[in-house]
Amino acid sequence: AQSVTQPDIHITVSEGASLELRCNYSYGATPYLFWYVQSPGQGLQLLLKYFSGDTLVQGIKGFEAEFKRSQSSFNLRKPSVHWSDAAEYFCALNTGGFKTIFGAGTRLFVKA
Amino acid sequence: DTAVSQTPKYLVTQMGNDKSIKCEQNLGHDTMYWYKQDSKKFLKIMFSYNNKELIINETVPNRFSPKSPDKAHLNLHINSLELGDSAVYFCASSQPTEYEQYFGPGTRLTVT
């Protein structure tokens, strides 16, 4: 069965520091992969997606993610975090059907 | 223009009552979803409709009944509400071959 694991329940980063959120998936082939962000009291917003091709994908708000097939990972990165990036981040997987599986989320705290 | 909208945003009701949540999307998408997000932020799919046809029903109690009058609307009716139904319910939409989903702002349901 397919699954998505986000090993970190929460992460605290200083403003201006770099960020990496981890995501591992379980699936026999290459899935479609996504990162979504949920600000407090809001719905989820797509940050970026990977379907095929270049394994480094750029997204909105200065985020990028790298797909590594050998590690079954799709980690999200940002070189310099802003206080407004504090939110819940979800990694998600779709295998080409109507069902998307979400990870449990990583809560990002940003300290001044 | 709001892409995916839900009403109401907050819903407080007593056990045993029946309530409905409405969802509308103006993106021209064929597929719509209902998700339940619990207090730990875990996001679980409940239903998916494609072109008004039920595609996914994820072992949701019969008290939950979705209805899709047209491709732009997917409503959720809940009978005999229970304490465990308290959660945030998200509506989302997508195109079947694109898989990225657009989420509504959520409806926070509190059952007392």
Side-chain angles (χ1 to χ4, degrees):
Chain A
Q2 302 93 27
S3 66
V4 177
T5 302
Q6 293 180 246
D8 304 304
I9 296 173
H10 55 80
I11 281 184
T12 300
V13 173
S14 297
E15 191 169 15
S18 63
L19 168 71
E20 182 167 28
L21 301 182
R22 296 183 292 164
C23 173
N24 293 98
Y25 67 89
S26 174
Y27 180 57
T30 299
Y32 303 112
L33 293 163
F34 309 84
W35 275 100
Y36 289 85
V37 61
Q38 183 181 21
S39 297
Q42 306 290 319
L44 280 71
Q45 180 185 20
L46 180 71
L47 280 176
L48 47 78
K49 62 188 179 186
Y50 173 76
F51 279 15
S52 65
D54 194 347
T55 56
L56 185 64
V57 294
Q58 302 297 322
I60 62 171
K61 306 185 183 192
F63 285 93
E64 67 178 26
E66 186 171 13
F67 170 65
K68 291 187 177 179
R69 186 192 309 272
S70 61
Q71 297 177 20
S72 297
S73 68
F74 188 56
N75 294 348
L76 181 72
R77 300 195 293 247
K78 186 170 185 178
S80 177
V81 166
H82 187 261
W83 64 266
S84 60
D85 293 324
E88 190 88 23
Y89 291 80
F90 293 93
C91 182
L93 168 159
N94 185 296
T95 59
F98 290 100
K99 187 173 179 180
T100 295
I101 297 168
F102 287 81
T106 297
R107 180 73 186 270
L108 173 65
F109 296 95
V110 181
K111 59 182 181 181
Chain B
D1 245 4
T2 304
V4 182
S5 59
Q6 294 178 229
T7 53
K9 188 161 175 65
Y10 299 95
L11 191 49
V12 181
T13 188
Q14 292 185 327
M15 278 195 304
N17 285 348
D18 303 337
K19 289 293 178 187
S20 291
I21 307 172
K22 295 188 175 182
C23 177
E24 176 181 3
Q25 55 96 2
N26 62 6
L27 297 167
H29 289 164
D30 291 336
T31 308
M32 296 185 73
Y33 311 82
W34 278 111
Y35 287 89
K36 180 180 181 181
Q37 186 176 50
D38 62 23
S39 57
K40 294 187 177 177
K41 300 292 187 181
F42 186 71
L43 202 63
K44 182 172 166 49
I45 190 167
M46 300 173 68
F47 302 103
S48 173
Y49 271 72
N50 186 57
N51 281 323
K52 302 193 299 173
E53 301 270 336
L54 179 65
I55 301 295
I56 294 174
N57 181 342
E58 282 286 301
T59 60
V60 178
N62 292 338
R63 299 182 295 103
F64 290 78
S65 51
K67 277 211 171 81
S68 182
D70 55 58
K71 285 199 307 184
H73 295 85
L74 180 62
N75 303 324
L76 184 65
H77 187 77
I78 316 169
N79 290 325
S80 304
L81 277 154
E82 301 178 356
L83 290 176
D85 297 332
S86 295
V88 181
Y89 292 84
F90 286 102
C91 177
S93 72
S94 73
Q95 284 294 53
T97 56
E98 292 181 2
Y99 313 116
E100 60 195 77
Q101 296 183 22
Y102 294 78
F103 283 78
T107 295
R108 181 174 293 277
L109 172 64
T110 303
V111 183
T112 62

